[in-house]
Amino acid sequence: MNLSPVNQIFHPRFKEHSVEVFVKRDDLIHPIISGNKWRKLKYNLLSAQELGYQQILSFGGAFSNHIHALAFACSQHNLQSVGIIRGEEQYQHNFTLSWAKHWQMELKFVDRLTYKQRSNTEYLEQLQSEYPNAFIVPEGGSNQLALPGMGEVITELNEQIEYDYLFTPVGSGGTIAGLVKADKNQHKILGVAVLKQQGYLTDEVNTLLEDSAEEYNKWQILNQFHRGGYGKYMPEDAARIIEFSQTTGVPFEPVYSGKMVLALLDLLEQGYFEAGAKIMLLHTGGLQGLGGMAERGLLNPADWPVPKHAPSQSR
């Protein structure tokens, strides 16, 4: 995987509020398994191979970036992959899962009640019995093995540029936990929760940080910028993200990275940042999700960088 570049971006709001803004372009690490998905999977895959496992099993929704990335990564590392998918089998031909099947992932569909058991010890033991050769990775790839991969972002940034704030979208908690642990209170790290919740993600991050959680005091998760919940946003939100992408020349999507952008713009208007602040945005990828959104008519493909369908689904 390539070292992701850091680009300074320009927007009238930045000059107006006397700040400099940069983007760590993790979306450019790889054309398929870009961003935090590769970072979190890296040591999971290495550990699975070192322990002699032949499969990786993990969890995700029918349009999951994690499932998409895992299927490809396993195909490249001669590992079988199994996806426990929340939803019905009718989803198997959608944009994301058609790619997963193209990369030979076995899809096992479960109802929402069963899916809620994905962290339950008894359910995990049942899956391990059903798939004895599988190394089980939690939803989103967020576990202890994800942290050193995400920590490499901090290592790279320390060699690339000086900055004051680091922004990241937060879904399952592994990304920000890895950043916080590696950063060691050097910078102010702000996580933008993309789902509607209060405190849950902070607890998840502290669990991942284990006994050292109390050592880290320069991070927080902002819960007020979810735009209504996971995958939800208003037309005016989409318009602001599109305008921001066109102005800066960096593509963002509305589920993860776009909510980070909107949080940045809102905080600027609120006077959150001191004059002269250097703000780093971590672009965590996820642009493949635009394919499924376009497929469902949730956005206009002319306004977004929609990726191509799997060969069997090409149009």
Side-chain angles (χ1 to χ4, degrees):
M1 296 295 154
N2 299 318
L3 173 75
S4 63
V6 170
N7 300 140
Q8 185 171 5
I9 56 175
F10 301 91
H11 190 279
R13 293 288 179 272
F14 304 161
K15 186 174 182 180
E16 179 183 331
H17 295 279
S18 302
V19 298
E20 293 181 273
V21 181
F22 304 83
V23 181
K24 174 71 166 163
R25 295 291 305 274
D26 263 17
D27 57 310
L28 299 180
I29 287 177
H30 188 275
I32 296 173
I33 43 176
S34 68
N36 64 336
K37 299 311 173 193
W38 168 246
R39 302 261 191 196
K40 290 195 284 184
L41 285 173
K42 178 179 177 179
Y43 292 102
N44 273 287
L45 267 62
L46 288 173
S47 182
Q49 290 179 311
E50 288 172 0
L51 293 169
Y53 284 94
Q54 300 169 353
Q55 290 180 318
I56 305 283
L57 180 149
S58 196
F59 309 83
F63 298 92
S64 166
N65 291 322
H66 169 66
I67 290 295
H68 181 268
L70 178 66
F72 178 82
C74 286
S75 74
Q76 297 299 297
H77 287 77
N78 297 314
L79 289 164
Q80 299 169 9
S81 59
V82 180
I84 307 299
I85 309 299
R86 182 188 67 247
E88 295 75 36
E89 287 192 26
Q90 67 192 52
Y91 288 119
Q92 66 181 303
H93 302 298
N94 74 18
F95 179 89
T96 299
L97 297 185
S98 63
W99 272 114
K101 289 176 66 178
H102 176 71
W103 295 316
Q104 307 303 310
M105 175 176 271
E106 177 187 339
L107 303 177
K108 180 181 175 69
F109 292 88
V110 298
D111 58 37
R112 290 181 179 275
L113 189 60
T114 302
Y115 192 80
K116 285 183 177 180
Q117 303 301 310
R118 62 192 179 279
S119 299
N120 179 279
T121 301
E122 290 184 4
Y123 180 57
L124 291 173
E125 289 175 350
Q126 175 189 324
L127 285 173
Q128 193 71 79
S129 176
E130 187 177 348
Y131 297 94
N133 296 316
F135 183 87
I136 299 179
V137 175
E139 181 182 49
S142 292
N143 57 8
Q144 291 299 320
L145 290 169
L147 271 57
M150 287 310 312
E152 290 173 359
V153 169
I154 300 297
T155 303
E156 293 175 17
L157 281 172
N158 286 342
E159 296 174 354
Q160 291 173 309
I161 195 171
E162 293 184 359
Y163 59 99
D164 303 305
Y165 295 86
L166 176 59
F167 260 80
T168 182
V170 180
S172 55
T175 294
I176 191 170
L179 298 174
V180 167
K181 187 171 185 177
D183 187 71
K184 302 184 188 307
N185 296 322
Q186 296 178 78
H187 305 92
K188 297 171 185 174
I189 300 180
L190 301 176
V192 178
V194 302
L195 62 156
K196 193 174 183 179
Q197 55 85 44
Q198 290 294 332
Y200 162 76
L201 284 172
T202 298
D203 292 341
E204 288 292 300
V205 174
N206 284 325
T207 297
L208 287 168
L209 292 173
E210 297 182 314
D211 295 338
S212 61
E214 292 185 2
E215 298 175 18
Y216 309 108
N217 55 25
K218 294 185 71 173
W219 69 279
Q220 68 180 115
I221 293 179
L222 306 175
N223 293 310
Q224 68 269 42
F225 299 109
H226 54 72
R227 309 290 157 175
Y230 181 72
K232 296 182 179 180
Y233 57 93
M234 300 295 289
E236 53 266 34
D237 296 328
R240 292 174 73 200
I241 297 168
I242 292 167
E243 184 276 332
F244 190 88
S245 293
Q246 292 173 343
T247 301
T248 61
V250 179
F252 294 93
E253 45 71 47
V255 177
Y256 289 96
S257 59
K259 289 187 177 180
M260 172 182 65
V261 163
L262 295 175
L264 170 67
L265 294 173
D266 287 351
L267 289 172
L268 284 171
E269 294 303 314
Q270 295 167 18
Y272 184 91
F273 304 100
E274 67 277 12
K278 292 186 175 181
I279 303 165
M280 181 67 62
L281 306 179
L282 177 60
H283 196 315
T284 54
L287 296 174
Q288 79 82 26
L290 293 169
M293 298 182 79
E295 187 176 61
R296 290 174 285 166
L298 300 178
L299 52 79
N300 183 352
D303 295 328
W304 306 85
V306 176
K308 67 177 182 178
H309 284 76
S312 61
Q313 298 292 110
S314 58
R315 317 202 159 168

